[in-house]
Amino acid sequence: MMKTAEILALLENGQYQDAKESAKTALLSEPENALLNYYAAWSCDGLSDETEAISYYEKALAFGLPENDLADLYIGLGSTYRAIGNYEKASETFQKARVAFPENQAITVFASMALYNEQNYKEAMQLAIKIIGETSNDPTIIAYKKAIINYSEDLDAVWD
């Protein structure tokens, strides 16, 4: 049976079908292994089989995935919900992830996309604009960083 490190290597090399078969085989003897469930989900995502991926992501979360993989799991699960049109579950997932990983800017970007899909346009734009202001290395953005971040707080504000 393949070890998790070997399955990870397959995933990182884009060999999703091989990774999926290996993870599913390993899960037969270790069905509650959070990492194997996560790798199965990741491989399903790589193969555009979002519906199958969800159950593996949810199991990995329930079985207690190690923290160093948890942020990526939240991004994968939330993105998968979003990809199948379940925007409410996507937003819920990203909100939990933002609480658990407040410094992870990628999670916030994905959260803004889910908010957009839920037609929460203002909140989606506020998150996206704030991220741009806080993280851009573009000198023209940096020149206006303070204003961009300030305006992101209330996009509807007007001054007389």
Side-chain angles (χ1 to χ4, degrees):
M1 178 168 38
M2 218 176 234
K3 293 186 168 99
T4 55
E6 294 166 324
I7 298 170
L8 178 60
L10 291 172
L11 289 165
E12 289 174 340
N13 289 319
Q15 296 174 274
Y16 301 119
Q17 189 61 46
D18 291 340
K20 180 180 177 180
E21 291 168 10
S22 297
K24 288 177 84 170
T25 298
L27 280 167
L28 293 174
S29 59
E30 296 182 70
E32 295 184 7
N33 182 310
L35 198 54
L36 289 173
N37 276 283
Y38 171 57
Y39 289 167
W42 181 355
S43 65
C44 288
D45 257 355
L47 295 167
S48 298
D49 191 357
E50 284 80 10
T51 305
E52 187 177 358
I54 289 172
S55 66
Y56 289 115
Y57 277 130
E58 289 175 342
K59 288 175 191 173
L61 194 56
F63 295 141
L65 191 67
E67 178 130 352
N68 59 324
D69 292 308
L70 196 52
D72 291 329
L73 177 139
Y74 277 125
I75 290 170
L77 178 58
S79 294
T80 301
Y81 283 138
R82 193 177 156 273
I84 64 167
N86 193 337
Y87 305 131
E88 185 177 334
K89 288 285 271 187
S91 283
E92 288 173 15
T93 301
F94 290 128
Q95 186 53 40
K96 287 178 191 169
R98 289 182 67 212
V99 169
F101 300 96
E103 302 301 315
N104 188 313
Q105 303 291 13
I107 290 171
T108 303
V109 171
F110 282 102
S112 75
M113 289 186 258
L115 288 165
Y116 169 86
N117 291 126
E118 287 190 294
Q119 300 181 349
N120 291 329
Y121 304 123
K122 182 178 178 180
E123 190 178 353
M125 282 298 296
Q126 285 175 301
L127 288 179
I129 291 169
K130 189 173 183 188
I131 290 281
I132 292 166
E134 290 177 345
T135 65
S136 179
N137 292 323
D138 183 295
T140 62
I141 300 289
I142 292 170
Y144 292 96
K145 178 177 182 167
K146 185 177 178 184
I148 290 168
I149 292 171
N150 184 47
Y151 291 144
S152 76
E153 297 298 322
D154 186 357
L155 297 172
D156 297 319
V158 293
W159 291 265
D160 293 350

